[in-house]
Amino acid sequence: MRAFDSNFIFGGATAAYQAEGAVNIDGRGPCYWDEYLHRPESRYNGDIASDFYHKYKEDLQLSKDFGVNGIRISIAWTRIIPDGKGEINLKGIDYYNKLIDECLKNGIEPFVTLHHFDTPLPLYKEGDWLNRENIEHFVRFARVCFENFGDRVKKWITINEPLSLALGQYVIGHFPPNIRYDIPKSVQAMHNMMVAHSKVVELYKSMDLKGEIGIVHILQSKYPISESEEDKRAAYLEDILANRFMLDACLGGGYQAETLKVVQDILKANNGSLEIEPNDMEIIKSAAGKNDFLGVNYYASDFLAHYDGETEIRHNGTGDKGTLVFRIKGIGERVINNDIPATDWDWPIYPKGLYDMLMSIKNDYPKYKTIYVTENGLGYKDNFENGKIYDDERIDYVKNHMDAILDAIEDGVNVQGYFIWSLMDLLSWTNGFNKRYGLFYVDYDTQDRYPKKSAYWWKKVSENKKLI
Ligand code: BGP
């Protein structure tokens, strides 16, 4: 039977705001989610979340016990620099020192993200990634992290999912500042994030720290719902904007002419344009070859149909199946493929889409070095009875996606690790706490952890390096 390499990372992923809680402790400043999720109408917030801030030793012990040998954590910018650009908070540095040391003590490799959707509130109010000054503040924050943790952290991720962040903030509008349907703003924010990413890669490489650095993109395959030329065109357009635009920047060394033309056509249809400053493309080009790895987050693929109306999006943030609407002017419409199962949140479950994505990276961006699948997992309303969680659906989901990775490895793709989203149950940005992903169930009343059936399965896979 096919096996994973002996060094393969069987990781669990988390992010600071979604897991840590402890938002007012040890000098942490607010990020924009703190303010936003304290509106009277909010159904939930991250004040306590999974209390990872206090429970990390227990979570790392559980990780070790269940064969998790890598962890994605993110450093909350506002614990290190509470207002984003001013004084450094030594208590924040102290906390991450302890967390990183505890990972290493347990033999769990930390993959550390610098920006996981959590810009400090004051910088967010000054325009967030639409304000070019944010780039320089971010580079400074990165430097502080590299100086303090770079001796022990060997895997750095600059930014998590520029596309999801930009769509959430400016198109879907379910992330603050809740702007809807402004495609040009989202494209500008994505570009600015790629400039920021490139500058941080250059900085890291100039510091000679002997670790590796990369970026995490959400990469979902796009398929036409039919063989019609119009549907094929819709899939092509969405692939360019969602996938190629970002991959061209971080692996290709700059936007290919065709990519830029398509993006500009989409922007024109949406009455906007992209501003690229004089040195941007040089910085992007120079940094591209220095990326050590690409993180691929993959949950679902999308099936596209032709659509030539106005943008209209309805987000399914409750798990009421069949409520999602996603139509973008100048691109197309995501539609249900009746042959493919979907989650309660209307995410099509399609492992082959992961295989296809990995193959297209290998074929179209042959200079990539290493890939980690940095997020994959099943959001589910887990059933908790007498301390037991029989999450067979999650096991099937993860197994089928890992199998697709093995197919890709067999066909020549260099994949070195897989991180389940998520290590333990944690906050889902736009769904709250009822959409669970963890290997470990969190009882939010007590903060007690319970290994799910999937955790027992995971342990065997990690020990044997084989799917069972
Ligand atoms: C990714 C994010 C994660 C996580 C995950 C699941 O986009 O990087 O932070 O939230 O998606 O998404 P959701 O919580 O919306 O189901």
Side-chain angles (χ1 to χ4, degrees), residues 48-250:
I48 301 173
S50 316
D51 202 22
F52 184 64
Y53 193 80
H54 297 110
K55 307 223 19 146
Y56 68 90
K57 287 191 180 165
E58 184 180 335
D59 287 326
L60 290 166
Q61 182 64 48
L62 271 175
S63 302
K64 186 178 177 186
D65 293 347
F66 282 84
V68 177
N69 62 358
I71 184 171
R72 273 190 72 198
I73 54 172
S74 74
I75 295 183
W77 188 342
T78 58
R79 287 198 196 280
I80 304 295
I81 306 173
D83 67 356
K85 57 182 168 185
E87 301 222 333
I88 294 170
N89 174 31
L90 295 178
K91 286 187 177 164
I93 293 191
D94 195 40
Y95 169 67
Y96 288 109
N97 269 327
K98 287 195 262 183
L99 173 55
I100 289 161
D101 288 344
E102 191 71 17
C103 292
L104 298 174
K105 195 177 106 192
N106 285 288
I108 298 167
E109 169 99 63
F111 283 60
V112 178
T113 307
L114 294 168
H115 190 278
H116 199 126
F117 298 173
D118 57 350
T119 300
L121 184 62
L123 298 184
Y124 159 82
K125 293 210 160 147
E126 288 168 17
D128 207 344
W129 290 111
L130 291 176
N131 181 347
R132 297 276 304 206
E133 285 174 17
N134 208 53
I135 299 174
E136 301 315 320
H137 298 315
F138 181 62
V139 174
R140 173 172 175 252
F141 163 58
R143 179 188 289 280
V144 175
C145 292
F146 296 155
E147 283 169 353
N148 283 281
F149 315 118
D151 56 337
R152 285 151 295 147
V153 172
K154 298 295 175 203
K155 297 283 191 291
W156 291 97
I157 292 160
T158 55
I159 300 180
N160 180 73
E161 295 190 1
L163 173 77
S164 306
L165 180 57
L167 286 184
Q169 293 192 301
Y170 306 117
V171 179
I172 305 170
H174 58 355
F175 284 16
N178 310 103
I179 293 172
R180 283 162 71 75
Y181 309 166
D182 195 329
I183 316 285
K185 275 200 171 68
S186 72
V187 170
Q188 190 66 53
M190 285 161 75
H191 169 74
N192 293 355
M193 279 186 256
M194 292 315 295
V195 175
H197 158 73
S198 304
K199 288 194 167 188
V200 171
V201 169
E202 290 287 349
L203 168 70
Y204 184 71
K205 292 296 172 185
S206 75
M207 291 174 75
D208 196 24
L209 281 163
K210 310 210 168 23
E212 300 191 342
I213 191 159
I215 186 167
V216 164
H217 285 301
I218 180 85
L219 293 164
Q220 326 226 116
S221 294
K222 312 289 173 183
Y223 302 98
I225 191 71
S226 81
E227 283 306 303
S228 83
E229 289 309 315
E230 288 189 315
D231 291 349
K232 281 190 194 160
R233 175 89 186 147
Y236 171 76
L237 294 175
E238 184 158 325
D239 183 49
I240 293 269
L241 186 68
N243 300 328
R244 309 234 151 212
F245 185 45
M246 293 291 91
L247 290 173
D248 278 10
C250 71

Side-chain angles (χ1 to χ4, degrees), residues 388-404:
K388 301 266 189 286
I389 308 95
Y390 297 102
D391 57 341
D392 294 275
E393 295 79 1
R394 180 168 295 107
I395 296 174
D396 281 351
Y397 180 100
V398 172
K399 186 175 170 177
N400 292 335
H401 285 82
M402 281 191 168
D403 208 35

Side-chain angles (χ1 to χ4, degrees), residues 321-334:
K321 208 168 179 166
T323 54
L324 178 87
V325 174
F326 198 96
R327 305 178 174 126
I328 301 227
K329 185 176 181 178
I331 299 183
E333 170 176 11
R334 294 184 190 171

Side-chain angles (χ1 to χ4, degrees), residues 15 18 116-117 160-161 164 218 297 299 347 375 421 428-431 435 437:
Q18 293 175 278
H116 199 126
F117 298 173
N160 180 73
E161 295 190 1
S164 306
I218 180 85
N297 286 1
Y299 290 89
W347 294 14
E375 281 182 36
W421 183 269
S428 169
W429 304 101
T430 64
N431 306 277
K435 190 181 191 187
Y437 281 94

Side-chain angles (χ1 to χ4, degrees), residues 413-434:
V413 187
N414 180 25
V415 186
Q416 298 283 349
Y418 171 96
F419 291 76
I420 187 168
W421 183 269
S422 48
L423 181 65
M424 79 299 262
D425 292 335
L426 37 65
L427 175 100
S428 169
W429 304 101
T430 64
N431 306 277
F433 293 100
N434 75 330

Side-chain angles (χ1 to χ4, degrees), residues 43 317-319 345 380-382 431-436 444:
R43 291 180 284 140
T318 49
W345 285 265
Y380 199 67
K381 299 167 194 160
D382 286 320
N431 306 277
F433 293 100
N434 75 330
K435 190 181 191 187
R436 293 173 181 268
Y444 290 108

